[in-house]
Amino acid sequence: GENVEQHPSTLSVQEGDSAVIKCTYSDSASNYFPWYKQELGKRPQLIIDIRSNVGEKKDQRIAVTLNKTAKHFSLHITETQPEDSAVYFCAATTPSNDYKLSFGAGTTVTVRA
Amino acid sequence: DGGITQSPKYLFRKEGQNVTLSCEQNLNHDAMYWYRQDPGQGLRLIYYSQIVNDFQKGDIAEGYSVSREKKESFPLTVTSAQKNPTAFYLCASSALSSYNEQFFGPGTRLTVL
């Protein structure tokens, strides 16, 4: 099955700086890559996603890039704010795998004021 | 918030007892999922169902059981065979296709006393 690795496991940034989280996947047939944000004690919520036919997608301060050749995708958060502090999960899905999501282990992002 | 609910929010169980966690959705989604979340380990799939009266094991199904008698409901039973059941349990649902967001419930925190 699909294996998703996520780095780093923790990330501390100064408010206003950028944060980058990287994920690699193993199955070249994966075609959908969502990113979820989970605040402490809350449910994960989708913040951005990208399909395999797109190389980059942006939504205000967050962007995701996908490199299908290298099988990795990254989340970029610019101008970080304290409310960006959370755990971020990447995921990948493959149609042949019953559309199940395979999640990375998560990155705990702390934005220092 | 997403139309998927879980109950109870907190659950305490004595060793040797079975407990059932509730998950209900009103999103008319075909697919439903149960995940277990432990610190630093991301989301691990326990069971999933794509249609009423059918379900499949995920990566860590041992010690758990599910049923899918109605489209809206996907209860999870944590049996006494689960050796380390203390965790945060998340239910999710989605439409059945490659590019559809999984919506998560608020979670149930199970503690074994």
Side-chain angles (χ1 to χ4, degrees):
Chain A
E2 175 65 277
N3 181 45
V4 177
E5 295 190 355
Q6 183 172 347
H7 299 281
S9 57
T10 61
L11 181 59
S12 179
V13 296
Q14 189 70 36
E15 183 177 357
D17 288 349
S18 296
V20 180
I21 304 169
K22 298 181 180 179
C23 290
T24 60
Y25 60 98
S26 59
D27 191 339
S28 57
S30 291
N31 63 351
Y32 175 62
F33 307 91
W35 285 89
Y36 285 83
K37 175 183 179 181
Q38 186 179 29
E39 298 178 0
L40 190 63
K42 301 288 183 66
R43 72 186 82 192
Q45 293 192 302
L46 182 74
I47 54 171
I48 196 167
D49 56 13
I50 192 167
R51 301 184 183 187
S52 58
N53 59 348
V54 175
E56 183 174 358
K57 184 177 179 180
K58 188 174 182 180
D59 183 3
Q60 299 183 338
R61 294 187 298 108
I62 60 173
V64 57
T65 58
L66 171 65
N67 183 326
K68 286 196 298 181
T69 302
K71 291 190 284 188
H72 67 71
F73 56 111
S74 299
L75 178 71
H76 304 254
I77 308 173
T78 59
E79 301 173 14
T80 53
Q81 301 170 3
E83 54 263 38
D84 295 328
S85 295
V87 180
Y88 292 81
F89 294 98
C90 63
T93 189
T94 308
S96 62
N97 197 25
D98 283 348
Y99 307 111
K100 293 180 294 182
L101 285 176
S102 297
F103 285 89
T107 297
T108 301
V109 174
T110 303
V111 180
R112 307 186 306 273
Chain B
D1 188 6
I4 180 166
T5 60
Q6 291 182 242
S7 62
K9 186 173 182 179
Y10 299 97
L11 187 57
F12 298 90
R13 188 194 93 174
K14 294 182 180 179
E15 285 191 17
Q17 288 181 335
N18 293 354
V19 290
T20 297
L21 283 57
S22 170
C23 178
E24 304 277 335
Q25 53 97 3
N26 62 4
L27 301 168
N28 199 33
H29 285 161
D30 289 307
M32 297 187 74
Y33 310 83
W34 274 106
Y35 294 93
R36 170 179 172 142
Q37 187 173 30
D38 296 284
Q41 294 196 42
L43 300 167
R44 292 186 290 168
L45 183 64
I46 304 172
Y47 269 98
Y48 67 103
S49 169
Q50 297 181 322
I51 193 171
V52 173
N53 292 323
D54 188 45
F55 47 83
Q56 307 296 328
K57 292 182 178 180
D59 300 318
I60 56 165
E62 185 176 352
Y64 301 97
S65 66
V66 293
S67 63
R68 187 87 185 274
E69 297 178 0
K70 299 186 300 182
K71 186 175 185 178
E72 301 79 18
S73 179
F74 191 41
L76 173 75
T77 297
V78 184
T79 74
S80 57
Q82 169 52 234
K83 298 305 179 188
N84 185 22
T86 295
F88 189 48
Y89 290 88
L90 285 160
C91 179
S93 71
S94 73
L96 200 59
S97 74
S98 289
Y99 308 125
N100 280 284
E101 174 183 356
Q102 283 192 16
F103 291 85
F104 285 85
T108 292
R109 189 166 298 279
L110 173 63
T111 303
V112 174
L113 304 173

